[in-house]
Structure formats: structure tokens, C-alpha cells
Amino acid sequence: DIQMTQSPSTLSASVGDTVTITCRASQSINIWLAWYQQKPGKSPKLLIYKASVLENGVPSRFSGSGSGTEFTLTISSLQPDDFATYYCQQYTRYWTFGQGTKVEMK
Amino acid sequence: QVQLVESGGGVVQPGRSLRLSCAASGFIFSNAPMNWVRQAPGKGLEWVAVISFDGSHQYYADSVKGRFIISRDNSKSTVHLHLNSLRAEDTAVYYCARKHFDDYFDLWGQGTLVTVSS
């Protein structure tokens, strides 16, 4: 099984900050990685697929990069609506999610 | 409106069964492979099962293999998850999710809560 490890687990930030979340795969997954945002009591929302492609309607302050085993999600100029939990997901062999990164208000 | 709506959750005793349903609308359901993903209280996301667009193939996470069955009825644009031999650790919100052609999940339902407790 492919394991996905996110860091940090929690991130404290302020509006306007740039934040970066890292996701590491236990083996190479090429670029077959997606990022999701989840708010309390809500279902996950697709942000990015193929490691760096922004889903339609997602603000351009979100960006993704990486390939192989190391990936990052960057949120530039954090907005109040961005405080949420973020998950990476590999989809090269079945599907595995990272454990999540909660972005909370400092 | 493109959406997925789950139903069928509830409180069930260990060892018993439950059937979850997910009704799709706003897209051509019979073209879309469908998944179930669950999230235990306060925990992360866990993929559970997938079914091909025509129902001919199903795959399961090891944690549910042999106990859960995924099925679909394309005439009713509905996918089901049959949960058998339920355990306390199956307690979770269960989401259905549409698989995009490129294999990520591009549409999610709102989820239905299953609580396994005596």
C-alpha cells in the first residue's frame, strides 16, 4: 500500500500569510496527487489534481507542486475562508489520503 | 444541479447490517465510476470501495473486504453500500464520491453518519 504523510498536522497562521503544506508518498506516484479542502461538518472539496492543476473555480492563491514522492500545497495571502483542513490523496494505485493538515487562526 | 445525496445512515448494533444509498443527479451517472469514502469522528479520510461505471468491477479496502458490498443501479442513478458484520470501528461519516476519468474524486456528497454501538 502507498502511504501518504502530511506535515505539519496543524498550522497556525494569520490572514495574509503564505502557508505551505507538505505531502510525502511512500513510493513514487508521479504526478497523480490531488488536494482537498474540508471544513467542519462539510464534505471535502477538490482543489488541485495532477499535483498542480487548479480545479475550475478554485482561487489562484492556491497552488500545488511536486512529483515523485514530495508535494506541496501553497496558499498565498491566506483568506478567512481558507481556515480548514487540507488532505492530499494519491491516485496511482487505488486511493490513499494523508492524515490532514488543519490550518487554524493564530 | 450536479449533486450526490447520501442516505441510510443511523445507529446499528455490532454484527448487524445496514444499506447506504447515494442518489446522483445532474450528470450522466452511467458513465461514472463511483466510490465510497469514510471518515471516523475526528479522523481523516479513508477510501472504502469503488465500482466501475457499469457495475462489472468492484474493489475494496482491506479493512472492509468480505464485509461490505458496493453495487449500483444505473436506471435509478443510485449507488449503494451494503455494510455487513458491522464493528465499532466502522463508525464514521460515509461519503459517496464520483471518480473523474483521471481517477481523482471531483464530486462528493454531503455524507451520512453510521454509528455502530450496542
Side-chain angles (χ1 to χ4, degrees), chain A residues 36 38 42-43 87 91 95, chain B residues 39 95 102-105 109:
Chain A
Y36 300 87
Q38 187 179 35
K42 302 294 186 183
S43 57
Y87 293 93
Y91 53 94
W95 299 270
Chain B
Q39 186 170 36
Y95 297 100
D102 285 338
D103 286 343
Y104 53 88
F105 301 163

Side-chain angles (χ1 to χ4, degrees), chain A residues 1 32 34 36 38 41-46 49-50 55 87 89 91-92 94-100, chain B residues 35 37 39 43-47 49-50 59-60 62 95 99-100 102-106 108-111:
Chain A
D1 293 3
W32 310 123
Y36 300 87
Q38 187 179 35
K42 302 294 186 183
S43 57
K45 172 189 171 186
L46 176 67
Y49 58 93
K50 280 186 188 175
E55 172 71 339
Y87 293 93
Q89 176 207 40
Y91 53 94
T92 187
Y94 298 112
W95 299 270
T96 316
F97 295 88
Q99 80 277 18
Chain B
N35 292 265
V37 176
Q39 186 170 36
K43 302 297 184 182
L45 301 165
E46 178 189 17
W47 170 74
V50 61
Y59 299 95
Y60 300 91
D62 288 344
Y95 297 100
K99 188 182 83 70
H100 186 272
D102 285 338
D103 286 343
Y104 53 88
F105 301 163
D106 64 348
W108 296 66
Q110 86 288 351

